[in-house]
């Protein structure tokens, strides 16, 4: 996970997810836009990248993202994660209902449950058919 486009004034993150044994072959690459909804509530809007293979491993090259703008992204409708403040130092939330369509490994929709603390991010993604 790497912050990108800081000069935009918005919060964008480039994310690669890979098996520990195959870190150079991510199975998922996404861009997240973090937006405040209301006091103590945020959403993480999920985007895909066109030609995502060009971005593999670029999380450690800040200058690489400078040649792009959010216009290269496609929003994954229904896949935003809504996060609410839970206690003093934790936010937690999930996708809503069955709105996040998926085809990965035979699924028809997916859900994501996320918790964020000052020292960790935990995400549990599940696919259903």
């Amino acid at each position: 996970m790497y912050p990108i486009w800081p000069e935009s004034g918005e919060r964008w993150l480039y994310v690669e997810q890979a098996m520990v044994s195959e870190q150079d072959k991510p199975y998922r690459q996404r861009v997240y836009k973090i937006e405040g909804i209301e006091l103590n509530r945020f959403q993480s809007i999920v985007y895909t990248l066109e030609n995502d293979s060009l971005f593999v491993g670029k999380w450690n090259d800040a200058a690489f993202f400078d040649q792009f703008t959010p216009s290269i992204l496609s929003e994954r409708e229904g896949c935003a994660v809504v996060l609410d403040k839970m206690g003093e130092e934790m936010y937690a939330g999930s996708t809503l209902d069955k709105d996040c369509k998926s085809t990965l490994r035979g699924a028809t929709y997916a859900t994501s449950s996320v918790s964020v603390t000052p020292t960790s991010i935990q995400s549990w993604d599940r696919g259903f058919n």
Side-chain angles (χ1 to χ4, degrees):
M1 185 174 290
Y2 185 82
I4 58 174
W5 304 318
E7 68 285 346
S8 72
E10 300 173 310
R11 304 237 185 245
W12 294 93
L13 300 169
Y14 169 69
V15 178
E16 284 186 7
Q17 291 175 278
M19 302 295 290
V20 171
S21 60
E22 297 184 319
Q23 291 186 26
D24 61 334
K25 297 176 186 169
Y27 61 85
R28 180 179 298 147
Q29 296 163 260
R30 301 282 192 258
V31 173
Y32 299 157
K33 182 180 181 186
I34 312 301
E35 293 183 330
I37 298 174
E38 57 190 51
L39 184 63
N40 295 323
R41 178 173 262 201
F42 294 86
Q43 69 177 344
S44 174
I45 303 169
V46 181
Y47 296 88
T48 57
L49 292 154
E50 188 175 320
N51 299 318
D52 60 0
S53 62
L54 299 174
F55 296 83
V56 172
K58 299 300 185 189
W59 57 267
N60 63 357
D61 181 3
F64 179 79
F65 290 92
D66 293 344
Q67 64 186 307
F68 302 102
T69 67
S71 66
I72 65 168
L73 306 175
S74 297
E75 184 177 348
R76 292 204 64 219
E77 297 287 336
C79 296
V81 174
V82 177
L83 298 161
D84 292 301
K85 190 168 186 176
M86 311 291 273
E88 195 60 33
E89 294 190 320
M90 183 172 124
Y91 282 84
S94 64
T95 52
L96 303 175
D97 302 319
K98 299 176 182 180
D99 296 340
C100 185
K101 304 300 179 212
S102 177
T103 57
L104 184 65
R105 297 184 183 130
T108 56
Y109 73 95
T111 64
S112 294
S113 298
V114 179
S115 65
V116 180
T117 70
T119 59
S120 71
I121 298 173
Q122 295 182 2
S123 178
W124 186 22
D125 300 327
R126 293 175 284 175
F128 299 90
N129 64 17

